[in-house]
Amino acid sequence: MYDILLTAMIVVGALIIIAVMMQPSKQQDALSALSGGGGGDLFATQKARGFVAVMQRITAVLAAIWFILGLALVYLSSH
């Protein structure tokens, strides 16, 4: 059981890396916020839409699964 969970954790970890790398870059937003021209937009909240929203949800779900698998591995290793 421990080996199965460990393998699942490694696979989920690789999927998290892929999901993070697939997210669109926000470099332009950061540059405009620091250059003085877009200082007011720094704290403006915009809801993610489309592909960005899907990738954020996938990343959050994979992170939760990875965390739960980690807790299960700790529990199994202590007993």
Side-chain angles (χ1 to χ4, degrees):
M1 184 67 167
Y2 182 84
D3 293 334
I4 294 170
L5 289 177
L6 184 60
T7 304
M9 189 169 186
I10 292 170
V11 170
V12 170
L15 290 174
I16 289 173
I17 292 171
I18 291 169
V20 168
M21 296 299 287
M22 286 180 63
Q23 290 183 4
S25 174
K26 295 183 181 179
Q27 182 178 6
Q28 186 62 32
D29 294 337
L31 288 175
S32 67
L34 295 176
S35 66
D41 294 338
L42 181 61
F43 297 107
T45 58
Q46 289 185 355
K47 191 171 185 178
R49 298 182 189 274
F51 180 72
V52 176
V54 171
M55 291 309 298
Q56 286 177 353
R57 285 188 196 121
I58 288 173
T59 305
V61 167
L62 287 172
I65 292 171
W66 190 82
F67 185 74
I68 291 168
L69 286 172
L71 290 176
L73 284 171
V74 167
Y75 177 78
L76 285 177
S77 67
S78 67
H79 285 85

